[in-house]
């Protein structure tokens, strides 16, 4: 990575951190090394083979942080069976995975939030609104949040009583919206006609949330599935109050491979990036695995995937230096004293000892030359002279050249 | 206007795919299979077509380098890519089959060698059946493998079965029906829904016309 890319990446991260803070979320950390046991007993979350493992000197197997939601929930659940307050956390942390087929190690930075202690539609909407606010902040051209509901599909499959292999096949077809194969599947498996109708309709339950809910309600649904639709509708109405409903579509065939999601799930897509740049959802049952009952919802952005979709001209650019100070050995003390004075006042200053000419690569708002008894300050064609460093500082302040750090 | 990138598979089904696109009013005037050009535009430039190897179509679409693709289900199954498979274009029909020279069934407890261009499909098929096999990857003339004793079975696509017959091979089992499909990148479907839906509707209409 070159310095421009590092700068843009850090600037985006700073902007995101600031946004999390404006919603009242507090930053949190999780350890880099974690016990493998935490993940070993959990199925349907992080693929065990994708984790990067190491062994400590007692023979304990450790993994490099493969996930953030799980250790956070575990930590919280260990200390509280229930919580009465609402906890809003954000993080920007690296997660480590090993690609299964290529043996390639992958380190990716995730920026995300977790909101513990509320299962209300208002909490869901706050989280989705925050995700949309972040996407607006980074100035991506076009983005869409796809909402889904993992409960909707789970309620459907409990009625089907399919074998594991058949279910996996059906999930594959639904995830591909492969109507041809779905139709053949329902015929082959002799499902009740009500179920056939719902499954065949799934790929088409995509689009404007209210329209999709209306369409879905015409299907022969189980009562619990209708309740789910009402819940999505409630969330959507809060999103309308935020004034962001135009960014949201509903996809009732959305299935997330993370088993811990229990209710609403969502993913964010931006132009020119083939994969979701953010994923999230409600995971009310995850804390149960640690003997607690804590409703929670969260999401995480993949920072590098997000960056790959932002056009170069829209990436944050490094500002030029505020001032460059040129001086000879004779004026060394004068030059360094001025540099110190300016730096103490937060100006970005580069000193060039033993140089009288500015090199072409350096870009600065002010070029300052130290002469025997005075400073010569040049900005474009404008030239000013100051007798003391205090006067030079005053001049810079008056001209207000300071770039935002 | 939203521009869509379409990846079209070279080879067997390219001609028929283009014919169907033409019926759907998606016409590439400067397209010519003999030309070395790889990028073509339709009349109003709303669609940019890239003409690529069939095995690469799913890669282009999954990565988002192309929004939509037209490719055989044989390649989709082999790639195991995460994308939408929205429409059966009802062309390029063929079948995935298991064939052999002298074996007519799988004897339990015996282990076999299977040659194929489609190693993922092969692995999945035998895993599902619970039969342990050694898979040998070949890139062409797969029929040769049983003849010279490299493998007991092959898994391959057949259209009419004449190549198998000419080489003395017989179909042991049918694995899957294949036809050409329209695949769509999931992010494109979310961010360019209307433009993609328009193409799908146009193709559907053309398919209905064909049926009559």
């Amino acid at each position: 990575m070159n310095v421009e890319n590092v700068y843009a990446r850090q600037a985006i991260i700073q902007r995101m951190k600031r946004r999390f803070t404006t919603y009242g979320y507090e930053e949190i950390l999780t350890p880099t090394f974690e016990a493998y046991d935490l993940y070993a007993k959990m199925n349907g979350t992080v693929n065990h083979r994708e984790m990067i493992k190491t062994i400590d000197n007692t023979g304990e197997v450790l993994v490099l942080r493969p996930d953030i939601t799980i250790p956070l929930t575990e930590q919280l659940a260990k200390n509280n069976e229930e919580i009465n307050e609402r906890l809003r956390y954000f993080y920007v942390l690296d997660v480590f995975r090993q690609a299964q087929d290529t043996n390639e190690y992958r380190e990716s930075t995730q920026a995300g939030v977790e909101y513990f202690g509320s299962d209300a539609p208002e909490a869901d909407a706050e989280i989705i609104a925050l995700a949309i606010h972040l996407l607006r902040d980074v100035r991506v051209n076009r983005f869409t949040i796809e909402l889904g509901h993992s409960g909707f599909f789970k309620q459907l499959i409990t009625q089907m009583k399919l074998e594991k292999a058949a279910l996996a096949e059906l999930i594959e077809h639904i995830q591909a919206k492969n109507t041809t194969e779905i139709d053949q599947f329902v015929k082959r498996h002799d499902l009740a006609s009500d179920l056939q109708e719902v499954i065949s309709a799934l790929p088409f339950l995509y689009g404007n949330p209210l329209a999709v809910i209306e369409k879905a309600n015409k299907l022969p649904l189980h009562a619990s599935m209708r309740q789910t639709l009402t819940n999505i509708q409630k969330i959507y109405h809060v999103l309308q109050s935020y004034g962001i409903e135009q960014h949201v579509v509903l996809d009732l065939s959305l299935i997330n491979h993370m088993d811990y999601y229990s209710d609403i799930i969502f993913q964010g897509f931006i132009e020119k990036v083939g994969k979701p740049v953010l994923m999230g959802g409600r995971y009310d049952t995850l804390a149960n695995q640690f003997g607690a009952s804590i409703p929670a919802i969260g999401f995480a952005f993949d920072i590098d995937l997000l960056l790959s979709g932002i056009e170069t001209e829209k990436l944050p650019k490094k500002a030029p230096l505020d001032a460059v100070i040129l001086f000879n050995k004779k004026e060394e003390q004068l030059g360094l004293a001025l540099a110190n004075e300016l730096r103490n006042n937060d100006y970005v200053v580069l000193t060039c000892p033993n140089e009288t000419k500015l090199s072409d690569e350096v870009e600065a708002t002010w070029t300052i030359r130290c002469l025997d008894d005075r400073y010569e300050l040049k900005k474009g064609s404008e030239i000013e002279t100051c007798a003391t460093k205090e006067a030079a500082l005053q001049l810079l302040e008056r001209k207000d050249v300071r770039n935002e750090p | 206007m939203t521009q869509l990138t379409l990846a079209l598979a070279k080879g067997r089904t390219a001609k028929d795919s283009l014919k169907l696109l033409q019926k759907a009013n998606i016409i590439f005037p400067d397209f010519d299979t003999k030309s070395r050009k790889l990028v073509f535009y339709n009349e109003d430039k709303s669609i940019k077509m890239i003409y690529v190897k069939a095995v690469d179509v799913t890669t282009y679409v999954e990565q988002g380098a192309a929004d939509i693709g037209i490719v055989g289900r044989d390649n989709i199954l082999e790639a195991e890519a995460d994308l939408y498979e929205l429409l059966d274009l009802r062309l390029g029909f063929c079948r995935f089959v298991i064939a052999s020279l002298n074996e007519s069934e799988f004897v339990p407890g015996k282990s076999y060698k299977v040659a194929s261009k489609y190693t993922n499909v092969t692995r999945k098929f035998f895993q599902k059946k619970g039969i342990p096999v050694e898979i040998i990857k070949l890139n062409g003339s797969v029929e040769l493998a049983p003849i010279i004793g490299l493998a007991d079975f092959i898994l391959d696509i057949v259209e009419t079965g004449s190549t198998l017959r000419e080489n003395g091979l017989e179909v042991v089992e049918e694995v899957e029906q294949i036809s050409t499909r329209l695949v769509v990148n999931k992010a494109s479907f979310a961010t360019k829904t209307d433009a993609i839906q328009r193409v799908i509707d146009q193709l559907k209409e053309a398919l209905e016309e064909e049926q009559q």
Side-chain angles (χ1 to χ4, degrees), chain A residues 143-287:
Chain A
F143 65 85
T144 302
I145 300 283
E146 273 181 8
L147 289 185
H149 199 288
S150 70
F152 191 79
F153 187 66
K154 279 180 189 165
Q155 288 148 3
L156 189 62
I157 54 179
T158 50
Q159 300 171 57
M160 285 192 292
K161 301 182 181 71
L162 286 172
E163 275 174 46
K164 216 174 149 190
L167 181 62
E169 190 193 332
L170 179 62
I171 288 177
E172 202 177 289
H173 297 328
I174 290 173
Q175 283 179 325
K177 293 195 190 300
N178 190 337
T179 49
T180 320
E181 252 41 65
I182 292 171
D183 289 346
Q184 285 176 14
F185 182 94
V186 293
K187 274 181 210 138
R188 218 172 36 235
H189 284 83
D190 192 32
L191 296 168
S193 65
D194 278 11
L195 290 172
Q196 273 193 29
E197 195 182 337
V198 180
I199 294 166
S200 301
L202 270 182
F204 302 102
L205 297 175
Y206 184 101
N208 175 286
L210 293 181
V212 170
I213 290 169
E214 200 191 316
K215 217 197 270 180
N217 262 323
K218 287 186 185 137
L219 295 166
L221 299 180
H222 193 260
S224 61
M225 293 168 82
R226 284 193 203 285
Q227 240 164 23
T228 298
L229 292 176
T230 312
N231 178 251
I232 299 171
Q233 201 164 359
K234 279 185 191 155
I235 297 166
Y236 184 75
H237 287 317
V238 186
L239 291 174
Q240 282 179 314
S241 300
Y242 276 102
I244 49 174
E245 73 277 13
Q246 69 276 20
H247 295 296
V248 177
V249 297
L250 178 59
D251 180 5
L252 285 176
S253 64
L254 187 64
I255 302 167
N256 195 301
H257 69 276
M258 285 292 205
D259 262 2
Y260 57 59
Y261 288 122
S262 56
D263 297 82
I264 196 93
I265 48 175
F266 57 96
Q267 48 189 21
F269 289 107
I270 62 178
E271 244 185 359
K272 295 197 178 78
V273 180
K275 292 175 194 159
V277 295
L278 83 96
M279 289 210 255
R282 178 163 283 289
Y283 51 99
D284 288 352
T285 49
L286 181 59

Side-chain angles (χ1 to χ4, degrees), chain B residues 65-82:
Chain B
D67 302 299
I68 52 181
I70 292 180
V71 65
R73 186 157 163 76
D74 52 334
N75 286 309
I76 301 173
L77 286 169
E78 178 62 17
E80 296 176 344
D82 184 20

Side-chain angles (χ1 to χ4, degrees), chain A residues 2-15:
Chain A
N2 61 29
V3 285
E4 278 85 23
N5 290 347
V6 174
Y7 179 82
R9 193 176 190 274
Q10 294 310 105
I12 293 271
I13 289 173
Q14 277 314 319
R15 207 181 280 174

Side-chain angles (χ1 to χ4, degrees), chain B residues 9-26:
Chain B
K10 280 184 186 176
R12 206 163 57 85
T13 56
K15 234 179 164 178
D16 287 343
S17 305
L18 282 160
K19 231 187 266 169
L20 179 67
L21 284 166
Q22 194 161 11
K23 263 190 211 140
N25 245 329
I26 301 167

